[in-house]
């Protein structure tokens, strides 16, 4: 592309000065933001470098998370703007290079490059039109529609238009050296239009407008929320590579003096980087069950409040490390309601296109509330006291934990009685004490017996895995519970664990390794799926029935176990599986019990489990049962159908019960 700057003086020199100004403003602001971010506490995020690079390719360059259901159309429009922006950036670097030093960058003179730029400029223009119409007339309820968004769209549109105009005018004036036979389509059309309208002047005007817009864009970008174009790159690279269901460990907890996060310095640098990266798209909030049912929690607001607080406190703290600071707005204004409303369902994390981690921030703030301020809700406090005293959140006697297994002549052995058992069945508090869930535990025992699986339980030697305590923010109690179980496992030489509760499964599989407890952990439905596939378990025909499957958050979104429970249902003759559209698989709607919410009052808005039952009823699918694979989901669904008075319409069950009821010898 021939630059209209002529010899270096004066055009090239002016361009160089403008470039230094534009990029100087960019880097000056970026450096300030980086220094603010480094005010956060340290956190190592460099494990699994290859996986990080793969994520960069798939999530950042491939825009995979942006293109998820139900956001295909707006996701595609945004992806084209992004891809076009990348291509145009290469073209812009070439323009500046050529304008200042007089050479083209290698490869930029090819027909492929010219056509790519031309086609992407058109696609970006179409995508901008779609984005603008959507913002103006169909903005999703939770999306922040601010002037800033229109400014950025306008700047990108000017860039594309001026690019096409100077391309067409340059072709018409013979200023573009095209070493190829077929010039790009848009350029060719515009060339014929400009032929008789002083194309050389139009070329120079459009070219200068283009480069000045680029430089204005560079200077404006770090002042705007569109900084995410840049920060998404490191944010994706440094995303969590540990399992989603694993919370961070407070090491040497006995030696710590402060816990969790309240002020900016308490958040990690990555948690602060998340704030710079938020696109304000509102997808996290659109999918939050707490917000959907009228709670004050808004995951987008949490991320933005932390960012805004960082921008307020950053300059103060850089000037004086001991300056007075305040916690983010939601922490000050609405604690405890906002933070305590979270069910840790991970719908926000799943939906976020730029891999922002909401739960870790919320739990860090809960840690501060619980351990530093002692201000956990009284019911949560009671559950924690019960865990500490009796080893279960209900406060049931520790010694009766194994009674469910000794009744009904089940004759389930304990590890003390059968030390050579292959598997430990970790029953969990709900199946040990809750009558409804005891039936599920018995169903699993039947299934394991029928398939000839060697297993034993710990009975009263088992104690709560600690999940509720950890998610309520009591890391002390979690570590105590985990250590206790790990010691017991060690005493019996446990290597393989079956859990019928996704919370037990998640904690033992993903969190016990943080304290040195490494086991082969399998959820009961994964095991049943395998036993059926291996021909060790035969399931016969029962009554024909339609069964809706409800994805437990800690099985699905936290651990990616979507297919095996479905495959078990599909293997039961007579059962017709129904999906709870559109709230299934990754978009499954929480039952409301996770994150310690099972033991907290739900006084604000509609109960989450009631909304779930409404979604089920709205399906009109003819399903007479709703099956799940989680004791908490079962309790919440039971309560929901009871409250809605639809016990005769749809009955909550565990998939294990459906299997156990149809076992063929
Ligand atoms: S984890 Fe679930 S409840 Fe908590 S903020 Fe995210 S979407 Fe909302
Ligand atoms: S946190 Fe993620 S999903 Fe939520 S508004 Fe920001 S970018 Fe969108």
């Amino acid at each position: 592309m021939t630059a209209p700057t002529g010899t270096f003086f004066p055009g090239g020199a002016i361009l160089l000065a403008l470039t230094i100004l534009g990029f100087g403003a960019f880097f000056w602001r970026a450096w300030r933001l980086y220094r603010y971010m480094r005010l956060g506490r340290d956190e190592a995020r460099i494990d699994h470098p290859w996986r990080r690079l793969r994520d960069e390719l798939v999530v950042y360059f491939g825009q995979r998370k942006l293109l998820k259901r139900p956001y295909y159309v707006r996701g595609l429009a945004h992806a084209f703007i992004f891809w076009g922006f990348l291509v145009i950036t290469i073209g812009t670097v070439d323009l500046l290079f050529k304008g200042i030093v007089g050479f083209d960058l290698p490869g930029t003179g090819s027909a492929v490059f010219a056509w790519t730029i031309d086609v992407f400029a058109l696609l970006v223009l179409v995508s901008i039109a779609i984005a603008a119409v959507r913002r103006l007339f169909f903005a999703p309820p939770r999306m922040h529609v601010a002037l800033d968004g229109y400014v950025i769209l306008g700047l990108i549109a000017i860039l594309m238009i001026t690019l096409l105009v100077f391309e067409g005018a340059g072709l018409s004036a013979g200023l573009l050296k095209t070493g190829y036979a077929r010039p790009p389509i848009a350029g060719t059309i515009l060339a014929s239009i400009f032929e008789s309208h002083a194309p050389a002047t139009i070329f120079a005007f459009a070219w200068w407008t283009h480069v000045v817009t680029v430089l204005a864009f560079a200077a404006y970008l770090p002042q705007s929320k569109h900084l995410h174009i840049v920060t998404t790159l490191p944010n994706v690279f440094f995303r969590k590579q540990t399992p989603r269901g694993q919370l961070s460990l407070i090491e040497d907890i006995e030696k710590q003096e402060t816990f969790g996060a309240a002020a900016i310095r308490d958040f990690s640098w990555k948690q602060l980087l998340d704030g710079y990266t938020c696109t304000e798209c509102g997808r996290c909030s659109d999918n939050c069950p707490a917000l959907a049912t009228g709670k004050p929690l808004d995951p987008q607001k949490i991320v933005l409040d932390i960012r805004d607080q960082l921008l307020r406190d950053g300059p103060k703290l850089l000037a004086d490390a001991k300056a007075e600071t305040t916690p983010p707005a939601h922490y000050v204004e609405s604690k405890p309601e906002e933070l305590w409303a979270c069910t840790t369902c991970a719908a926000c994390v799943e939906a976020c296109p730029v891999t922002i981690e909401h739960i870790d921030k919320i739990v860090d703030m809960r840690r501060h509330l619980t351990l530093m301020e002692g201000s956990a809700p009284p019911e949560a406090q009671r559950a924690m006291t019960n865990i500490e005293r009796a080893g279960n959140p209900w406060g049931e006697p520790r010694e009766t934990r194994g009674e469910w297994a000794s009744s009904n002549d089940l004759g389930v052995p304990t590890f003390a009685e059968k030390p050579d058992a292959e598997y430990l069945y970790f029953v969990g508090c709900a199946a040990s004490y809750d009558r409804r869930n005891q039936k599920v535990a018995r169903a699993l025992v039947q299934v394991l017996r029928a398939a000839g699986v060697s297993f034993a339980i710990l009975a009263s030697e088992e104690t709560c895995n600690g999940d509720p305590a950890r998610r309520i923010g009591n890391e002390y109690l979690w570590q105590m519970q985990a250590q206790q179980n790990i010691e017991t496992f060690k005493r019996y030489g446990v290597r393989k664990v079956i859990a019928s509760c996704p919370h037990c499964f998640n904690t033992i599989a993903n969190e016990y390794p943080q304290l040195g407890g490494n086991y082969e952990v399998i959820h009961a439905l994964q095991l049943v799926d395998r036993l059926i596939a291996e021909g060790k378990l035969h399931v016969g025909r029962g009554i024909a029935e339609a069964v809706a499957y409800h994805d437990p958050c800690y099985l699905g979104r936290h651990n990616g176990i979507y297919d095996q429970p479905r495959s078990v249902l599909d293997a039961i003759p007579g059962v017709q599986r129904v999906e709870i559209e559109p709230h299934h698989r990754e978009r499954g709607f929480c039952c409301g019990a996770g994150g310690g919410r099972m033991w907290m009052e739900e006084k604000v808005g509609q109960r989450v489990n009631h909304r779930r039952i409404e979604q089920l009823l709205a399906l009109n699918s003819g399903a007479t049962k709703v099956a799940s694979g989680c004791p908490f989901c079962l309790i919440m669904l039971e309560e929901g159908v009871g409250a809605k008075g639809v016990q005769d319409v749809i009955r909550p069950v565990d998939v294990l019960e459906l299997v156990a009821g149809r076992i063929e010898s």
Side-chain angles (χ1 to χ4, degrees), residues 278-284 300 303 352-354 356 358:
C278 179
T279 66
E280 300 180 25
C281 67
R283 287 185 185 196
C284 52
Q300 172 178 227
V303 175
C352 181
V354 292
I356 283 171
H358 309 70

Side-chain angles (χ1 to χ4, degrees), residues 20-335:
I20 292 171
L21 217 61
F23 285 104
F26 175 88
F27 285 113
W28 182 82
R29 177 70 179 160
W31 175 240
R32 293 283 295 177
L33 293 177
Y34 172 77
R35 290 180 66 208
Y36 298 166
M37 184 188 85
R38 294 303 302 177
L39 289 167
R41 68 179 159 78
D42 275 341
E43 188 184 6
R45 290 281 182 131
I46 46 168
D47 53 328
H48 305 295
W50 293 112
R51 256 200 258 163
R52 293 184 185 281
L53 282 176
R54 183 207 57 195
D55 283 353
E56 208 64 81
L57 288 177
V58 176
V59 180
Y60 183 70
F61 291 105
Q63 299 277 288
R64 194 197 61 181
K65 288 202 83 187
L66 201 73
L67 298 171
K68 289 192 130 188
R69 75 182 169 111
Y71 304 105
Y72 300 123
V73 176
R74 61 165 140 150
L76 201 63
H78 187 285
F80 272 121
I81 295 177
F82 171 77
W83 291 324
F85 195 81
L86 287 186
V87 172
I88 305 300
T89 299
I90 302 170
T92 303
V93 172
D94 177 52
L95 279 191
L96 294 175
F97 195 74
K98 172 93 183 198
I100 295 168
V101 296
F103 309 90
D104 275 321
L105 286 178
T108 53
S110 68
V112 174
F113 187 72
W115 271 88
T116 308
I117 293 244
D118 194 87
V119 169
F120 268 102
L122 289 173
L123 285 173
V124 170
L125 275 176
V126 173
S127 302
I128 284 175
I130 294 173
V133 168
R134 189 172 61 89
R135 274 171 176 271
L136 274 172
F137 304 108
F138 310 104
R142 317 280 179 215
M143 186 184 199
H144 277 197
V145 183
L147 180 66
D148 181 46
Y150 292 107
V151 171
I152 292 288
L153 285 181
L155 285 174
I156 300 175
I158 293 173
L159 283 179
M160 300 306 130
I161 292 167
T162 51
L163 186 147
L164 292 172
V165 169
F166 80 68
E167 180 190 56
L171 282 171
S172 181
L175 294 168
L176 302 185
K177 283 188 226 122
T178 54
Y180 35 85
R182 199 180 273 274
I185 182 84
T188 310
I189 294 169
L190 287 170
S192 64
I193 295 172
F194 295 139
E195 220 164 21
S196 50
H197 296 88
T201 312
I202 295 175
F203 170 77
F205 178 76
W207 194 97
W208 275 106
T209 310
H210 183 82
V211 292
V212 168
T213 309
V214 166
L215 298 172
F217 190 89
Y220 180 64
L221 196 64
Q223 317 286 338
S224 82
K225 74 167 180 118
H226 285 76
L227 181 61
H228 73 259
I229 298 172
V230 179
T231 53
T232 302
L233 190 76
N235 209 55
V236 169
F237 186 80
F238 293 117
R239 76 191 283 197
K240 187 167 160 177
Q241 290 295 340
T242 47
R244 183 179 280 171
Q246 183 192 87
L247 293 174
S248 65
L249 178 75
I250 301 182
E251 289 182 42
D252 295 325
I253 195 159
E254 299 294 340
K255 294 186 191 147
Q256 304 302 325
E257 286 172 3
T258 59
F259 300 95
I264 282 308
R265 280 185 184 281
D266 303 329
F267 292 97
S268 76
W269 63 266
K270 173 61 177 63
Q271 290 175 332
L272 300 179
L273 177 62
D274 276 355
Y276 292 155
T277 310
C278 179
T279 66
E280 300 180 25
C281 67
R283 287 185 185 196
C284 52
S285 305
D286 281 348
N287 288 278
C288 174
L291 183 60
T293 52
K295 315 290 185 292
L297 171 63
D298 180 342
Q300 172 178 227
K301 182 172 172 289
I302 294 219
V303 175
L304 296 179
D305 279 352
I306 295 172
R307 178 198 66 188
D308 293 347
Q309 194 61 38
L310 175 63
L311 295 178
R312 271 194 294 274
D313 286 349
K316 272 196 275 176
L317 287 170
L318 285 185
D320 172 11
K322 295 199 176 104
E324 280 280 309
T325 58
T326 46
H330 61 267
Y331 194 96
V332 177
E333 290 162 7
S334 66
K335 74 171 178 174

Side-chain angles (χ1 to χ4, degrees), residues 287-290 297 299 342-348 359 362:
N287 288 278
C288 174
L297 171 63
C342 177
T343 67
T344 67
C345 72
C348 49
I359 297 176
I362 292 172

Side-chain angles (χ1 to χ4, degrees), residues 342-409:
C342 177
T343 67
T344 67
C345 72
C348 49
V349 182
E350 178 69 40
C352 181
V354 292
T355 69
I356 283 171
E357 295 148 8
H358 309 70
I359 297 176
D360 307 59
K361 296 179 192 59
I362 292 172
V363 171
D364 271 354
M365 287 186 275
R366 283 184 175 189
R367 281 176 175 172
H368 198 273
L369 290 170
T370 300
L371 295 176
M372 299 299 291
E373 299 187 9
S375 61
E379 325 88 73
Q381 197 59 58
R382 203 172 312 124
M384 290 188 287
T385 309
N386 286 337
I387 292 173
E388 205 170 344
R389 189 180 49 79
N392 68 86
W394 286 283
E396 296 289 337
R398 199 181 285 270
E399 54 286 0
T400 62
R401 195 170 179 106
E403 268 182 9
W404 67 273
S406 47
S407 58
N408 292 358
D409 297 327

Side-chain angles (χ1 to χ4, degrees), residues 538-550:
H538 302 280
V539 189
R541 176 172 282 278
I543 53 160
E545 57 188 345
V547 178
Y549 180 66
H550 163 87

